[in-house]
Amino acid sequence: MKYDHVREVDPDVADALSAEVDRQRDTLAMIASENHVSEAVLEAQGSTLTNKYAEGYPGERYYGGCEHVDTVEELAIERAKELWGADHVNVQPHSGSQANMGVYLAVLDPGDKILSLDLTHGGHLSHGHHVNFAGQLYDVEHYEVDTETGTIDYDALLDHAREFEPDIVVSGYSAYPRQVEWERIQAAADVADAYHLADIAHITGLVAAGEHPSPVGVADFVTGSTHKTIRSGRGGIIMCDEEYADDVDSAVIPGMQGGPLMHNVAGKAVGFKEALQPEFEEYAAQTVKNAEVLGEQLQEHGFGLVSGGTDTHLVLVDLRESHEDVTGKEAEQALEDVGIVLNANTVPGETRSPFVTSGIRAGTPALTTRGFDADDMREVGDLIAKVVDNVDDEDVRADAAERVQKLCDANPLYE
Ligand code: DSN
């Protein structure tokens, strides 16, 4: 990729942009929330739509000159409706967190009650963590996974909802390897006469491709981010029934955002079109298969997985089961040194700080995009095991780095 215009104005930034392309080409992107979008999505995001203000919605903007951005936003909306089957879609949230903020703003008042999964059990900051606006504005309690099984304790959630009487129950997670039983979450919302927000940020692509059951038609609100497994332009999305459409739209603008990022909306439209092609279903199925193979390979090497495996695009390794003395942070650093980029992650029953942690989370969406198959994933599993087994061994690292480079060369990116 060339950045000729940037280079002319700003060589320092051009160098960083080029170096980042090389980094992505020569390392394994295994942060479960990341992916590699197509050049078509990149081009749409880098378009002149970044120049346009378009507060409002297609056909009813506060500014003139919106005919082309209207086309783009309408296409993004129609394609999203086709992908997820929702009645109403808002494609303007700048991120998944802002999509959640939009829903809270639409139906909650400050001080209202949120019941959501604890962050260390796989939840998300925007579900009401105390350092986040949601934890500061609302009265939040958390449910948990069963620490024995690693899966959501739906019975305890039901009891918790009965006692706490939340105004909204939040489901959908950022470090949960198993399928979510949306109806059982809905039962907890029903018992408290609460709304149900399903945040499918991580699994948007899996849901669209039918690789994970859909909460659309079960939950009142479904939010997501658009650049993870769905592999489109960066940002967020809100889906809901028609009855909540006006409340959601006014919460997004004027409630919490100004001008939409129309270049990103264009990236969403293009990525959604790609996801509507039959190949996307194959991609999503392979993503899940690759995670399963990775998990099995790690288990062969003695690693423990939260919940004992995965049905999704990620595995969550509990290092306490196999490497009590290696922290998530140490494993993350050792792996990054050989070109395997994933993240340290808290695990259920975590005793270390969120900066240290006892786990690592590894995802397959980006590797699957660049063509990794089951054999490649076995090799990746072997490499992760070898490096974590020998965190301080320079020879092991040198050998692993070479094998990582071979995998990258065999599965080229942005040629
Ligand atoms: N940062 C994302 C993740 O890694 O899960 C969630 O927003």
Side-chain angles (χ1 to χ4, degrees):
M1 275 173 192
K2 290 196 165 37
Y3 295 102
D4 293 346
H5 295 95
V6 182
R7 186 160 301 284
E8 214 175 300
V9 175
D10 190 340
D12 296 329
V13 168
D15 284 347
L17 295 180
S18 296
E20 175 61 12
V21 178
D22 291 341
R23 189 194 69 79
Q24 291 190 21
R25 282 184 180 137
D26 294 335
T27 57
L28 306 185
M30 297 192 72
I31 292 174
S33 47
E34 292 185 1
N35 210 331
H36 301 294
V37 297
S38 69
E39 298 198 30
V41 171
L42 289 179
E43 207 168 285
Q45 287 201 155
S47 67
T48 58
L49 268 61
T50 190
N51 297 333
K52 190 72 195 98
Y53 262 117
E55 279 94 332
Y57 293 98
E60 38 184 6
R61 306 281 188 185
Y62 292 91
Y63 294 101
C66 285
E67 61 271 33
H68 305 303
V69 294
D70 276 4
T71 303
V72 166
E73 186 165 347
E74 276 162 358
L75 285 168
I77 291 168
E78 285 318 307
R79 289 167 185 168
K81 285 182 178 173
E82 210 177 326
L83 281 168
W84 290 286
D87 282 353
H88 180 75
V89 176
N90 187 308
V91 293
Q92 292 191 9
H94 298 339
S95 70
S97 288
Q98 288 198 264
N100 291 338
M101 182 188 250
V103 171
Y104 301 150
L105 198 57
V107 294
L108 300 183
D109 290 317
D112 277 357
K113 297 181 188 174
I114 296 177
L115 180 57
S116 61
L117 188 69
D118 188 276
L119 184 67
T120 61
H121 287 235
H124 190 258
L125 287 170
S126 66
H127 296 178
H129 192 272
H130 64 89
V131 299
N132 184 268
F133 79 92
Q136 288 158 18
L137 278 182
Y138 304 107
D139 175 9
V140 183
E141 289 195 7
H142 295 300
Y143 57 96
E144 297 187 342
V145 299
D146 178 321
T147 43
E148 286 300 307
T149 63
T151 55
I152 293 175
D153 190 339
Y154 292 99
D155 292 331
L157 166 60
L158 195 67
D159 291 342
H160 199 157
R162 206 175 270 122
E163 271 167 38
F164 181 49
E165 298 184 331
D167 296 286
I168 195 165
V169 177
V170 181
S171 64
Y173 314 109
S174 64
Y176 187 68
R178 292 300 186 179
Q179 287 196 353
V180 184
E181 297 181 50
W182 306 115
E183 282 81 5
R184 296 188 74 184
I185 309 269
Q186 184 60 43
D190 287 342
V191 85
D193 199 18
Y195 294 108
H196 176 188
L197 160 61
D199 174 354
I200 60 168
H202 265 257
I203 55 170
T204 43
L206 307 187
V207 170
E211 284 296 317
H212 188 294
S214 174
V216 173
V218 179
D220 301 290
F221 303 96
V222 177
T223 55
S225 43
T226 49
H227 47 276
K228 296 185 174 121
T229 46
I230 193 66
R231 212 172 48 182
S232 74
R234 195 170 189 98
I237 188 169
I238 304 176
M239 301 179 248
C240 60
D241 287 343
E242 208 50 59
E243 67 174 304
Y244 302 119
D246 288 345
D247 289 338
V248 161
D249 287 352
S250 348
V252 173
I253 159 89
M256 65 167 190
Q257 291 186 175
L261 307 177
M262 292 312 302
H263 54 306
N264 281 10
V265 173
K268 293 174 190 181
V270 174
F272 293 166
K273 178 159 185 185
E274 292 172 341
L276 282 165
Q277 309 311 310
E279 304 84 82
F280 189 80
E281 286 184 14
E282 286 165 32
Y283 161 72
Q286 188 64 44
T287 299
V288 173
K289 176 81 198 156
N290 281 349
E292 189 188 327
V293 170
L294 173 67
E296 285 166 1
Q297 199 66 9
L298 289 170
Q299 284 172 317
E300 289 270 309
H301 286 287
F303 283 69
L305 303 186
V306 172
S307 85
T310 178
D311 318 310
T312 66
H313 61 300
L314 67 84
V315 295
L316 186 56
V317 177
D318 188 338
L319 291 167
R320 295 173 305 191
E321 292 181 34
S322 53
H323 298 75
E324 214 174 319
D325 297 335
V326 181
T327 67
K329 203 70 204 164
E330 285 164 342
E332 177 193 293
Q333 188 57 59
L335 289 163
E336 183 170 352
D337 288 348
V338 305
I340 299 176
V341 185
L342 44 65
N343 63 288
N345 214 95
T346 52
V347 287
E350 182 61 74
T351 46
R352 295 183 169 117
S353 95
F355 297 106
V356 180
T357 83
S358 303
I360 49 175
R361 186 186 66 162
T364 53
L367 296 191
T368 308
T369 290
R370 61 190 294 179
F372 279 56
D373 61 14
D375 285 342
D376 295 327
M377 293 317 301
R378 281 188 204 97
E379 166 79 344
V380 173
D382 289 346
L383 290 172
I384 292 176
K386 194 133 205 204
V387 171
V388 177
D389 282 347
N390 302 280
V391 273
D392 295 320
D393 189 322
E394 293 298 327
D395 293 337
V396 166
R397 284 198 204 190
D399 175 59
E402 248 176 60
R403 286 162 65 183
V404 165
Q405 190 61 52
K406 273 196 195 134
L407 283 166
C408 293
D409 294 343
N411 297 278
L413 181 68
Y414 298 130
E415 286 181 277

